[in-house]
Amino acid sequence: MLVMKFGGTSVKDVTQIHKVLEITRGRLKRKPVLVCSAHKGITDKLINAGHAAASTGKADPGAIFEQQRAVARAAGCKDELLEPFYREIEDLLRGIALVREASKRSIDYLSGFGERMSCRVIAEYFTRQGLKAQAFDAFDLGYITDENFGAARPIQGYEKLMAEEFAKKVPRDVIAVITGFVGKTQKGDLTTVGRNGSDFTATCFAAGLGAEECEIWTDTDGVMTADPSLIKDARSIPVMSFAEASELAYYGGRVLHPSTLLPAIKRNIPVRVLNTNRPDHPGTVITENGGDNGLPVTSIAYKENQAVITIESTLMLGQPGFLARVFDVLGRDGVDIDMIATSEVSVSMTCAELPNLNAVVKHLEQFGRVSLVTDKTIVCVVGKNVRDQKGLGAKVFTALRDADVNVEMVSQGANKINLSFLIDDSAIPRAIPALHKALFG
Ligand code: ASP
Ligand code: MG
């Protein structure tokens, strides 16, 4: 079995959906199962309508229906196909407008309609084109999650449930078109795995169904050496390891959702990233051991809008347990630390620019003088053997100096494959091209 995930741009309209059909047709021998996103733009429209209903007291699904209807009609679907979803969206928006409150739970319920509608359209189109397909909501096939709305994760043992439900519900002669992104709690509330999370849904299904491979179909030729919107001559990376791809995804590589690889790693299922618009391009294959691309590093990623919290305190000096207490406070405030640097009497830590950081600073003031700076970017250079390469640091920092970029914090050595450092957000357009040139020629 082959799990194939198609993202929002890959199913954005009938032209794209037709490409998906042809790609699927070419893989019938491998027993494809599809996991699909909403048509690009629909999820944003659903979420915006939810927040607008809460703030204005008015339910306005107009923009959602307009786009969804246009895609469905162009694909030859009758309006009735999606009518029940439209009614439910109207009811839900009316409810949100009445209580003037868009809770995480309501937003999850609402934003999941995008995938549920697109999968109906895709399955119906496929069937009319002679490829018998059927749409399924992931939660009807065992995708049961915890109650962490907005970032829900499947419950323990979901793999077994998934395999059972799939065997029970999916007829042998149809292609299952399964919703990415959405799940359901054991109590029956709808959840989502978080924005851009359909990749993760796909690898969960690959794990649960014991697929031979999971293909992630997107709009770039696999994982690239750097963000192609910034670097015109960014190159596709033929092979990489789970560890390298995880670091890249976490540190802002734009192609994969950060959690994507976890289920694949657990079951050792290769993940292949491919381009829907250039299906013959080999893309990137991500496996346990990766491989040698003949270059010193694999890729450069960056994550902007980071904050740095610094605590200066003589209390630290020779005090075992100091950092444990600091991290206890951070943990309770829900702050996830990425980079950390310490000296005898100070510690600097980076995290995302969360809305509650001013409160966090107050809570940390019990430990010493606390400062907060924002608008920083973590840049991460990933490669199979970054730690053991003589002169790589010199190359990286010389390139940055020549591009007039100041480096504020550095982290290397926690694993073999990653060198990361902190710069200003505003330095991205200088730093990334300079690094790409220095490292990839
Ligand atoms: N449709 C969802 C989003 O836009 C999930 C996804 O596309 O992966 O975030
Ligand atoms: Mg995506």
Side-chain angles (χ1 to χ4, degrees):
M1 180 188 289
L2 173 68
V3 170
M4 305 168 74
K5 180 259 168 175
F6 290 94
T9 50
S10 298
V11 298
K12 79 167 192 254
D13 54 25
V14 65
T15 312
Q16 292 303 99
I17 294 171
H18 195 80
K19 291 180 191 170
V20 171
L21 172 83
E22 292 304 334
I23 292 167
T24 308
R25 241 199 251 283
R27 281 162 161 76
L28 289 180
K29 276 210 197 80
R30 296 174 71 188
K31 301 201 176 62
V33 169
L34 268 56
V35 173
C36 295
S37 291
H39 315 300
K40 180 153 192 67
I42 291 282
T43 313
D44 285 339
K45 289 196 171 76
L46 285 160
I47 294 172
N48 291 343
H51 291 302
S55 61
T56 65
K58 284 200 194 77
D60 181 11
I64 307 162
F65 293 174
E66 194 185 326
Q67 188 190 342
Q68 184 61 67
R69 271 204 188 103
V71 178
R73 281 179 189 162
C77 301
K78 294 217 173 68
D79 283 351
E80 292 91 87
L81 177 70
L82 300 177
E83 217 41 63
F85 293 107
Y86 296 155
R87 295 293 80 78
E88 207 174 327
I89 291 169
E90 273 171 353
D91 287 349
L92 182 55
L93 284 176
R94 219 172 288 128
I96 293 172
L98 277 174
V99 295
R100 305 288 292 262
E101 184 185 73
S103 64
K104 276 187 162 179
R105 183 169 142 186
S106 311
I107 290 294
D108 267 10
Y109 181 7
L110 184 61
S111 57
F113 279 107
E115 273 67 12
R116 298 171 68 196
M117 297 190 291
S118 76
C119 286
R120 267 72 191 179
V121 171
I122 295 163
E124 222 229 45
Y125 182 77
F126 271 39
T127 304
R128 249 184 297 109
Q129 297 282 324
L131 212 59
K132 211 163 145 198
Q134 192 178 328
F136 290 91
D137 290 324
F139 46 79
D140 287 331
L141 295 179
Y143 198 82
I144 304 301
T145 73
D146 58 25
E147 295 182 8
N148 190 10
F149 295 100
R153 289 293 172 269
I155 54 170
Q156 254 208 322
Y158 77 90
E159 294 100 333
K160 185 161 173 275
L161 187 63
M162 213 175 238
E164 285 167 6
E165 294 292 309
F166 192 92
K168 223 180 329 176
K169 292 183 181 157
V170 181
R172 277 187 183 284
D173 63 337
V174 311
I175 293 169
V177 180
I178 306 171
T179 56
F181 192 48
V182 292
K184 204 182 233 180
T185 67
Q186 276 164 309
K187 284 189 204 146
D189 291 319
L190 291 187
T191 54
T192 73
V193 300
R195 293 308 306 270
N196 302 313
S198 297
D199 297 344
F200 176 68
T201 310
T203 51
C204 287
F205 270 96
L209 303 179
E212 61 185 44
E213 195 170 287
C214 182
E215 293 181 342
I216 306 283
W217 288 86
T218 177
D219 55 3
T220 56
D221 294 335
V223 184
M224 309 295 281
T225 49
D227 181 357
S229 68
L230 210 58
I231 307 292
K232 270 193 291 317
D233 55 355
R235 282 183 253 158
S236 166
I237 304 160
V239 284
M240 59 203 300
S241 65
F242 284 142
E244 288 170 282
S246 301
E247 291 283 318
L248 281 177
Y250 184 73
Y251 284 107
R254 304 298 191 257
V255 182
L256 294 173
H257 183 273
S259 301
T260 308
L261 294 157
L262 301 176
I265 292 170
K266 205 163 146 197
R267 293 283 165 110
N268 196 8
I269 298 170
V271 174
R272 198 178 291 270
V273 182
L274 295 155
N275 189 346
T276 304
N277 302 317
R278 294 218 295 163
D280 294 330
H281 192 284
T284 301
V285 62
I286 306 166
T287 60
E288 187 170 3
N289 295 319
D292 188 4
N293 293 314
L295 290 165
V297 304
T298 306
S299 184
I300 305 162
Y302 63 92
K303 192 154 79 161
E304 63 265 74
N305 302 325
Q306 304 296 300
V308 184
I309 303 172
T310 300
I311 307 174
E312 280 174 80
S313 170
T314 46
L315 293 175
M316 274 180 86
L317 208 67
Q319 280 301 313
F322 180 86
L323 285 180
R325 294 199 296 280
V326 168
F327 275 92
D328 185 45
V329 169
L330 291 169
R332 269 186 258 187
D333 280 339
V335 181
D336 188 2
I337 297 295
D338 286 327
M339 274 171 78
I340 171 162
T342 58
S343 78
E344 283 299 312
V345 290
S346 63
V347 53
S348 292
M349 300 159 291
T350 73
C351 61
E353 283 173 3
L354 303 166
N356 64 335
L357 283 185
N358 286 324
V360 173
V361 167
K362 284 266 168 316
H363 300 156
L364 290 172
E365 276 168 354
Q366 58 179 297
F367 301 113
R369 207 167 63 215
V370 183
S371 63
L372 173 70
V373 288
T374 56
D375 302 310
K376 300 291 173 188
T377 290
I378 296 183
V379 182
C380 178
V381 173
V382 170
K384 257 209 134 166
N385 240 331
V386 162
R387 190 170 63 193
D388 301 331
Q389 284 184 57
K390 293 194 190 81
L392 184 67
K395 215 183 220 173
V396 165
F397 295 116
T398 304
L400 292 170
R401 180 203 59 199
D402 293 348
D404 196 25
V405 176
N406 185 41
V407 174
E408 291 181 39
M409 261 172 92
V410 182
S411 166
Q412 194 198 350
N415 62 27
K416 273 167 86 110
I417 63 169
N418 164 349
L419 162 63
S420 33
F421 48 87
L422 199 71
I423 62 172
D424 282 335
D425 282 346
S426 60
I428 295 173
R430 298 198 303 282
I432 306 298
L435 279 175
H436 195 266
K437 190 148 173 261
L439 298 171
F440 297 102

